[in-house]
Amino acid sequence: MNILVLGAGTFGTAIANELSVNTENKVVLFSRNQLKVDEINTDNTNKSCFPNKHLTKFLSATSDKNEIKNADVIFIALPSPVIIENLNVLKSYFKEDVLLVNLSKGLFADGVTIVESIQTSIGIDNVVTLKGPSFSVELMEHADTLLTFGYTTNTQYQIMCSIIKGTALHIDYTTDIRGVEVLSVLKNIYALVIGVVDA
C-alpha cells in the first residue's frame, strides 16, 4: 500500500514511523521543509519533533508534490485551520480513488467537521477519520495505541486493517464519522478543564 502522510510535525512523524513498521506499506512523509526532508532521508531523524529518537529505515520523506500521485491513502496531519487551503493546492495530484484519512481535530464555523468540509470544499467523498487519546512520544516508542476509526464503507475498513497490520496501532470502529470528529474535540476541552480543576 502506498501511503503518504501530509504533515511532518510530531503526530504526522510518529504515525508515519509506526505505519512504516508494516513493510507491506510504502510510507512517505510529505513536508515543504526541504531541510527536514533531507534530515529524515539522510539521518533517519526529525530532531525538531523528537530530539532523541530515530525513525525506522523504511520511512522516507519528500517535498516533491509529484510523489502525491502515487499515494493510495493520504493521512492528513496538518493544523486544522490550514487543511482545506492545503488540500485545494494539492488535490490535482490526488489519485481518483485516493482514500483520505483525517487525523486532525477541530470544528469549523456552524459546527462543520473537518471531514464534512473536505467533502464539500474539496469534492472528495472517500474520507474517513482516525482519532484517539494517543501521544506522539508513546507512538515513537511503539507502545500499543488504540484509535477510533470512523468510516462509511467496508472497503475503507479493510484498507485500514491491512495498513495497521503488524504495527502497535489498534482500532475500534464506527460508521458515525461525525460523532468521532465532534467527540475528539470535546475530549480535548474536557481534558483541559479537568487539568485546570485538578491543579
Side-chain angles (χ1 to χ4, degrees):
M1 188 73 66
N2 292 325
I3 298 169
L4 184 129
V5 177
L6 198 57
T10 52
F11 197 70
T13 299
I15 202 157
N17 189 62
E18 189 57 37
L19 291 173
S20 68
V21 169
N22 178 353
T23 54
E24 293 181 7
N25 296 331
K26 181 186 176 186
V27 185
V28 176
L29 192 54
F30 183 88
S31 174
R32 291 180 297 182
N33 185 331
Q34 189 60 48
L35 290 176
K36 182 176 284 192
V37 168
D38 292 341
E39 177 193 345
I40 293 168
N41 290 332
T42 303
D43 302 327
N44 300 119
T45 60
N46 184 352
K47 290 185 177 179
S48 64
C49 297
F50 301 102
N52 303 310
K53 301 291 182 186
H54 273 81
L55 307 173
T56 74
K57 64 182 180 180
F58 304 109
L59 177 63
S60 63
T62 188
S63 60
D64 183 359
K65 293 176 184 175
N66 286 304
E67 288 278 340
I68 298 171
K69 296 176 181 177
N70 299 321
D72 302 304
V73 181
I74 296 176
F75 284 77
I76 302 165
L78 296 169
S80 56
V82 302
I83 287 175
I84 300 304
E85 172 191 343
N86 277 270
L87 293 184
N88 266 317
V89 170
L90 300 174
K91 68 180 180 181
S92 63
Y93 297 91
F94 294 168
K95 281 186 176 181
E96 186 176 344
D97 59 348
V98 68
L99 175 62
L100 300 182
V101 182
N102 177 41
L103 301 172
S104 302
K105 297 174 183 177
L107 290 174
F108 296 127
D110 299 321
V112 175
T113 68
I114 294 172
V115 168
E116 290 166 343
S117 187
I118 291 171
Q119 290 170 332
T120 57
S121 301
I122 310 301
I124 296 176
D125 290 326
N126 198 18
V127 189
V128 296
T129 186
L130 190 63
K131 302 285 194 299
S134 51
F135 296 95
S136 303
V137 173
E138 291 180 353
L139 265 181
M140 288 296 293
E141 296 284 354
H142 307 293
D144 286 327
T145 300
L146 179 64
L147 301 171
T148 299
F149 180 56
Y151 70 102
T152 53
T153 70
N154 188 58
T155 299
Q156 293 168 342
Y157 173 74
Q158 294 299 330
I159 289 172
M160 184 56 62
C161 288
S162 69
I163 286 172
I164 66 170
K165 183 180 178 182
T167 72
L169 297 170
H170 309 277
I171 58 170
D172 62 10
Y173 48 90
T174 176
T175 54
D176 183 8
I177 293 179
R178 179 171 174 80
V180 176
E181 291 269 291
V182 171
L183 289 174
S184 70
V185 175
L186 292 177
K187 186 272 297 180
N188 282 359
I189 296 170
Y190 290 152
L192 286 171
V193 171
I194 289 170
V196 169
V197 171
D198 185 55

